Amino acid sequence: MALIRDDQLADDDSRLLTDDEALPGTGKIVVSLARWQKERETLVARKAPVGVRLKSDESPEAIAADLDRLALVELEFPKFRDGRAYSNARILRERYGFGGELRAVGDVLMEQLHFMLRTGFNAFEIAGPDPLEQYRTAKAEFSVWYQPTGDGRPTAISLRHRMAGNRNER
Amino acid sequence: MYNGRPMRMIIANRLNDGRVVFYKAGGGWDIDIAAGAVIEVEAEEAGLFAAAKADEAGCKVVDPQLIDVQVDGGKPRPVAIREAIRAFGPTI
Amino acid sequence: MYRYDEFDRKLVIERANQFERQVKRRLSGELNEDQFRPLRLMNGLYLQLHAYMLRINVPYGTLSSRQLRCFAHVARRYDRGFGHFTTRQNIQYNWIKLEETPALLHELAAVEITGIQSSGNCVRNITSDQYAGCAKDELADPRKYCELLRQYSVLHPEFSYLPRKFKIAVTGSPKDRAAVAVHDIGLRMHRNEQGEIGFEVLVGGGLGRTPWIAHTIRKWIEPEHILSYIESILRVYNLHGRRDNIHKARIKIIVNQMGIDKYRELVEAEWQRIKDSALKVPAEEIERIDRYFAPPAYAKLGDATELLGRQRKASREFDRWLDANTVEHKVPGYRIVNLTLKALGKPPGDIDADTMDAVADLADRYSFGEIRISHRQNLCFVDVRQDQLHELWQALDALGLASPNLDSITDIICCPGLDYCALANARSIPVAMDIRKRFVDVDELADIGELKINISGCMNACGHHHVGHIGILGVDKRNEEFFQLTLGGSSDQNASLGDRLGPGLPQSAVPDAIAAIVERYKSLRSEGERFLDTYRRVGIEPFREAVYGKDSEKAVA
């Protein structure tokens, strides 16, 4: 399993803990929402980076107040067809202003890369050969987007009317 | 019917063009049901079906299924209306 | 009609290129069927009983003659010479090869047509009134809003993996020809006191296993807020819709489970957060799209009353066709013409390549090069000069497209059914063709009047049987095909779901049952009363008795 973050292959310096595992003293860890809610004080006091993994039926609301303490939020795709993480990603980025790493984990396919990029994911766990090649090929597939999301990419509407505006200026 | 069990065949859709095909005794697939293997002995079923599934993994066909057939005058015919329509085409 | 600009064109080409890559990866095994299925469905490609079926969007049912000629070419080059128009203003081809689909999609992209999201768990084709822009009873042309919604919904990153499919319909007229009350979202146009246009938003309608009439979630929304409001509805659905059972995954289920008040509360809360975001539609964009729907260059004509009067007298057939198949136009001197694709001996909604070309030529000559598709699987020329009606009628008659049966008992909606569809339980097309054969006398058709029969081959209700005046549903009972009848459904502004008549009938008994219902109707109707109104007045018992006799729950087998 490879990790791509911000368009590059990256070392995964974080470790996903089970709910029962002892907390290591150092190192970046990721815990489930249930564990975060149970051991929040301990995890916050730990002075090492921590992240939370949300299942597809868990709401970002549950960690909204703590986002500035989180180095990383992982959103799980139990099956690639479960599209809830797309909404949850946008809620984290756009409603709550989360600026840390937003990582897609689980059944993550490059066929859905554009949807993930546009909804705010900037990190991806990718299976299979040549992950960076897969990623780059998928990313190059589209250059036109209709809908505004929080990703700042110019939509067709904004480009059309910016252009029309430019023409009027001449 | 043979020993109280219906006879079976293996049906699938060809991957590249979607056409309905039947698994043949020596391997491979044919559009004509008459060329397909009619399975009369339960013990043969598993082996043939495994070979059919291997062809699915090998990107030749999609979704092989075992279906019940009856044989009239040497010609096999699916028992279910749906499979008969798949075998012989639309009725209109 | 809308013409692609450089952005629209680029997007569909990129999409076609992406699909080409995806097909290669499927054929080589890099993608398995499970991974590939949603990808091909989101381009409109199904694997059906006999072959791949490709469904192509005709956005809000508006087609140019150039596009129709491309459909004819596709039918010849990639299929068996014909296509089938559906209840969502789409066209389907039944004999497509996967390996040829990328080339096919590129050819369609060149004429600004795609299969994007005609299937899949995403927002489907935005459908509308086939008379949009021309109907006398219309408030305003709804199609600019449909186009806005189309672009908004195409490859929406957040809503491409919804719990289930999502269908939106828009009507610009209080007379609802777009069946908005049985869509996941329906938009009904209104004018406020200042004379401004806005929409009533309906949510949670649908047919299928658990049919439901939509609820009003909001009485009024301004056009500039339409996208943000719909985004709110979709977001709540995406997060809360059920994903445990595909038969319980549509928005109608969750709306009825929560109750419309709770659902509205969630939507309104979300909408308050996003209504002033970049989703607010700039007036310039609405105006830009609106320019594409500017009325054609109508000639300044008066109504050709005298001429038509003479032509009517000279030909009984022309007179009958004029009454049955044509409709008042909002511009003097023009008329809306319907071509029913319900010929004797042909599957309803089917059209062959040669006829498509001929219709395209007639569209160029008589209707500014435009064709409309209705959800009843018929075609329309919506801008025909009254003084050219007689000439057009003759040309249509020569093509077998002048059958005066619009909205009559032989203008049947019929899904492809078990002859083609992998989901079906029974064959629907032979039932439609048998009924068609039974009622050939045009005087009888006129006497029976408006009677809409809708036939579905399974509970998925693609034939809209729940909202037929007479609905027919195919079921499988121990490997035999049976048909359940319902009465009293309607998809217009007074929408209703049909009532079950009785136990399923074998295929051979259906035409007799229909005939018995018609006879009973004729014996009970008051002067000029159409079937639906008689049914609503007298109830189901007289019809139940007419079909089943006194012992109406006796099993028929």
Side-chain angles (χ1 to χ4, degrees):
Chain A
M1 197 67 90
L3 177 66
I4 296 202
R5 183 195 297 132
D6 296 329
D7 298 339
Q8 305 293 336
L9 269 173
D11 283 322
D12 188 4
D13 53 348
S14 70
R15 201 156 75 80
L16 177 68
L17 294 186
T18 66
D19 285 356
D20 310 310
E21 248 177 287
L23 284 181
T26 54
K28 191 197 260 177
I29 53 168
V30 177
V31 298
S32 70
L33 177 65
R35 186 160 193 182
W36 173 263
Q37 288 172 323
K38 198 158 143 235
E39 299 175 37
R40 194 178 160 281
E41 296 308 320
T42 320
L43 289 162
V44 162
R46 199 175 148 267
K47 291 190 169 50
V50 64
V52 174
R53 175 181 285 213
L54 292 180
K55 294 206 184 72
S56 59
D57 60 355
E58 292 173 334
S59 171
E61 228 165 53
I63 54 172
D66 294 324
L67 287 175
D68 51 2
R69 295 181 212 280
L70 296 177
L72 159 66
V73 175
E74 296 185 343
L75 296 181
E76 196 185 349
F77 288 87
K79 267 257 57 150
F80 73 90
R81 289 188 299 269
D82 183 335
R84 286 177 281 193
Y86 297 112
S87 287
N88 288 329
R90 290 193 70 187
I91 289 170
L92 279 164
R93 288 292 196 213
E94 296 169 51
R95 193 193 297 177
Y96 296 123
F98 177 62
E101 177 183 334
L102 189 57
R103 188 187 294 188
V105 301
D107 192 11
V108 173
L109 301 176
M110 288 298 95
E111 302 302 333
Q112 288 89 36
L113 178 63
H114 268 275
F115 300 149
M116 292 187 283
L117 283 170
R118 298 219 63 221
T119 48
F121 290 96
N122 66 322
F124 310 88
E125 258 180 23
I126 304 184
D130 297 319
L132 192 57
E133 183 58 36
Q134 283 185 54
Y135 178 87
R136 286 187 175 147
T137 311
K139 193 166 186 218
E141 277 178 339
F142 287 100
S143 62
V144 175
W145 304 281
Y146 280 138
Q147 312 81 0
T149 65
D151 70 348
R153 284 182 176 81
T155 62
I157 291 184
S158 73
L159 289 170
R160 279 167 184 149
H161 298 286
R162 201 187 298 171
M163 280 172 63
N166 288 343
R167 270 202 290 279
N168 289 340
E169 272 161 26
R170 273 194 235 114
Chain B
M1 298 276 277
Y2 184 88
N3 282 353
R5 276 189 74 252
M7 288 176 276
R8 312 254 236 165
M9 296 185 74
I10 300 173
I11 195 174
N13 290 88
R14 232 173 4 210
L15 174 63
N16 66 339
D17 64 356
R19 299 301 304 279
V20 173
V21 288
F22 296 89
Y23 193 70
K24 298 193 293 189
W29 299 82
D30 203 296
I31 279 188
D32 184 2
I33 188 174
V38 177
I39 307 168
E40 297 178 11
V41 177
E42 188 166 5
E44 286 172 9
E45 216 175 79
L48 285 169
F49 193 67
K53 287 297 262 182
D55 279 345
E56 182 180 46
C59 297
K60 295 208 182 76
V61 296
V62 180
D63 195 28
Q65 296 283 325
L66 281 157
I67 58 166
D68 292 343
V69 299
Q70 54 206 28
V71 178
D72 294 320
K75 293 200 163 92
R77 180 181 188 84
V79 168
I81 307 174
R82 184 181 187 277
E83 307 307 332
I85 291 175
R86 288 180 77 194
F88 301 115
T91 63
I92 37 82
Chain C
M1 57 183 282
Y2 188 72
R3 302 305 311 273
Y4 281 9
D5 66 10
E6 62 184 279
F7 302 104
D8 304 310
R9 243 173 274 130
K10 195 144 185 238
L11 180 73
V12 300
I13 289 171
E14 287 178 340
R15 175 60 155 190
N17 290 338
Q18 183 197 44
F19 188 62
E20 192 169 350
R21 252 184 22 93
Q22 289 168 341
V23 170
K24 278 204 185 80
R25 280 156 56 80
R26 175 68 185 102
L27 291 172
S28 74
E30 269 175 79
L31 288 170
N32 64 33
E33 189 62 17
D34 221 42
Q35 294 165 331
F36 182 66
R37 189 180 301 111
L39 305 175
R40 66 166 160 76
L41 287 173
M42 286 197 280
N43 280 289
L45 196 64
Y46 284 83
L47 184 51
Q48 290 287 56
L49 291 183
H50 310 291
Y52 289 93
M53 181 272 278
L54 182 65
R55 178 185 296 151
I56 302 213
N57 297 318
V58 180
Y60 36 88
T62 300
L63 202 60
S64 71
S65 55
R66 180 167 176 247
Q67 289 167 335
L68 185 55
R69 284 190 190 95
C70 188
F71 285 176
H73 163 73
V74 165
R76 288 187 187 104
R77 168 72 184 76
Y78 296 99
D79 201 274
R80 293 191 177 181
F82 70 98
H84 170 81
F85 283 109
T86 75
T87 53
R88 298 216 76 243
Q89 300 176 313
N90 294 325
I91 188 169
Q92 290 180 177
Y93 294 99
N94 295 310
W95 298 95
I96 298 298
K97 302 185 165 96
L98 175 62
E99 57 195 1
E100 292 186 340
T101 315
L104 197 171
L105 292 179
H106 272 106
E107 292 209 55
L108 289 174
V111 295
E112 304 177 12
I113 284 276
T114 76
I116 294 175
Q117 294 173 210
S118 64
S119 185
N121 292 340
C122 49
V123 178
R124 303 283 188 93
N125 192 24
I126 314 288
T127 55
S128 191
D129 177 1
Q130 69 273 17
Y131 300 156
C134 307
K136 206 154 182 187
D137 52 37
E138 187 178 76
L139 297 178
D141 191 337
R143 291 175 301 160
K144 59 177 165 285
Y145 307 105
C146 295
E147 177 57 30
L148 192 65
L149 283 167
R150 185 191 71 84
Q151 294 189 20
Y152 164 77
S153 64
V154 163
L155 300 183
H156 196 303
E158 188 180 349
F159 304 128
S160 291
Y161 288 94
L162 294 169
R164 200 76 170 89
K165 64 180 100 168
F166 206 90
K167 301 180 181 177
I168 301 179
V170 185
T171 178
S173 168
K175 240 190 139 230
D176 182 2
R177 287 174 287 268
V180 303
V182 289
H183 275 75
D184 298 286
I185 288 180
L187 295 175
R188 206 178 261 155
M189 197 186 281
H190 291 285
R191 269 194 203 281
N192 64 9
E193 275 160 17
Q194 290 74 39
E196 295 161 332
I197 292 289
F199 289 96
E200 178 187 354
V201 184
L202 299 137
V203 86
L207 302 173
R209 223 161 279 251
T210 42
W212 221 283
I213 304 290
H215 303 269
T216 297
I217 189 171
R218 195 166 225 270
K219 290 211 182 86
W220 174 268
I221 190 101
E222 292 87 359
E224 62 180 350
H225 291 307
I226 200 82
L227 296 185
S228 58
Y229 201 77
I230 286 183
E231 178 129 318
S232 309
I233 295 174
L234 285 169
R235 182 165 297 146
V236 174
Y237 172 54
N238 192 41
L239 288 172
H240 295 276
R242 288 176 63 169
R243 291 180 188 259
D244 57 316
N245 177 348
I246 68 160
H247 302 306
K248 300 259 173 226
R250 297 288 289 275
I251 193 174
K252 64 190 172 186
I253 305 290
I254 191 71
V255 165
N256 290 304
Q257 204 172 292
M258 269 188 196
I260 182 65
D261 291 330
K262 176 71 185 171
Y263 199 89
R264 181 188 296 116
E265 203 182 291
L266 292 173
V267 169
E268 292 284 334
E270 183 61 29
W271 186 60
Q272 285 306 320
R273 285 188 277 258
I274 67 173
K275 63 197 248 273
D276 295 313
S277 70
L279 278 170
K280 203 160 164 191
V281 189
E284 306 99 313
E285 181 63 5
I286 298 192
E287 279 157 30
R288 183 190 76 89
I289 297 178
D290 197 22
R291 282 197 282 276
Y292 290 103
F293 296 104
Y298 291 121
K300 279 213 157 19
L301 304 166
D303 284 328
T305 327
E306 258 194 69
L307 172 65
L308 286 173
R310 276 183 273 124
Q311 289 169 332
R312 278 178 187 272
K313 273 211 180 71
S315 164
R316 181 112 209 279
E317 287 79 20
F318 177 64
D319 178 54
R320 202 186 280 121
W321 174 83
L322 210 52
D323 284 338
N325 284 19
T326 74
V327 169
E328 209 178 0
H329 196 291
K330 73 180 186 202
V331 173
Y334 283 82
R335 198 133 175 107
I336 296 172
V337 170
N338 288 280
L339 292 55
T340 58
L341 299 180
K342 311 290 170 71
L344 193 59
K346 289 219 175 86
D350 277 16
I351 178 169
D352 64 64
D354 288 342
T355 308
M356 290 191 223
D357 280 332
V359 169
D361 288 344
L362 290 175
D364 284 338
R365 200 131 108 238
Y366 295 103
S367 198
F368 299 104
E370 199 169 286
I371 302 102
R372 304 290 181 84
I373 324 296
S374 84
H375 82 272
R376 288 202 71 83
Q377 304 172 293
N378 293 324
L379 305 179
C380 319
F381 292 148
V382 291
D383 291 313
V384 180
R385 290 171 59 129
Q386 291 177 14
D387 58 13
Q388 291 181 338
L389 283 168
H390 188 265
E391 204 178 293
L392 171 59
W393 167 70
Q394 287 174 318
L396 289 173
D397 197 32
L399 290 168
L401 291 171
S403 186
N405 64 351
L406 185 76
D407 290 343
S408 77
I409 196 171
T410 58
D411 184 14
I412 299 170
I413 288 184
C414 184
C415 73
L418 190 56
D419 281 303
Y420 286 99
C421 181
L423 299 171
N425 289 318
R427 285 169 297 153
S428 49
I429 298 175
V431 176
M433 287 168 66
D434 283 346
I435 296 172
R436 180 76 181 78
K437 238 184 347 208
R438 190 64 172 260
F439 296 94
V440 279
D441 183 73
V442 289
D443 288 323
E444 194 192 0
L445 283 189
D447 180 41
I448 297 170
E450 184 186 324
L451 206 171
K452 298 179 178 174
I453 298 183
N454 297 0
I455 308 178
S456 302
C458 77
M459 297 247 263
N460 287 298
C462 300
H464 289 200
H465 64 279
H466 297 294
V467 290
H469 299 168
I470 299 177
I472 304 178
L473 168 65
V475 299
D476 177 300
K477 218 158 54 175
R478 291 173 305 242
N479 202 35
E480 268 183 72
E481 295 161 301
F482 279 81
F483 297 88
Q484 275 176 10
L485 270 55
T486 55
L487 299 186
S490 175
S491 66
D492 69 13
Q493 61 278 7
N494 300 310
S496 56
L497 301 173
D499 305 308
R500 182 178 171 275
L501 188 65
L505 301 166
Q507 186 184 327
S508 53
V510 173
D512 281 343
I514 301 294
I517 291 169
V518 169
E519 284 318 301
R520 185 51 56 98
Y521 153 65
K522 284 192 202 171
S523 73
L524 292 171
R525 66 181 169 183
S526 33
E527 178 82 39
E529 194 178 45
R530 48 173 198 158
F531 171 79
L532 180 62
D533 297 319
T534 301
Y535 174 79
R536 285 173 170 167
R537 179 171 57 80
V538 309
I540 201 163
E541 274 316 312
F543 298 100
R544 186 170 280 154
E545 197 217 33
V547 171
Y548 294 98
K550 297 281 182 209
D551 189 1
S552 60
E553 281 305 316
K554 181 175 63 186
V556 181

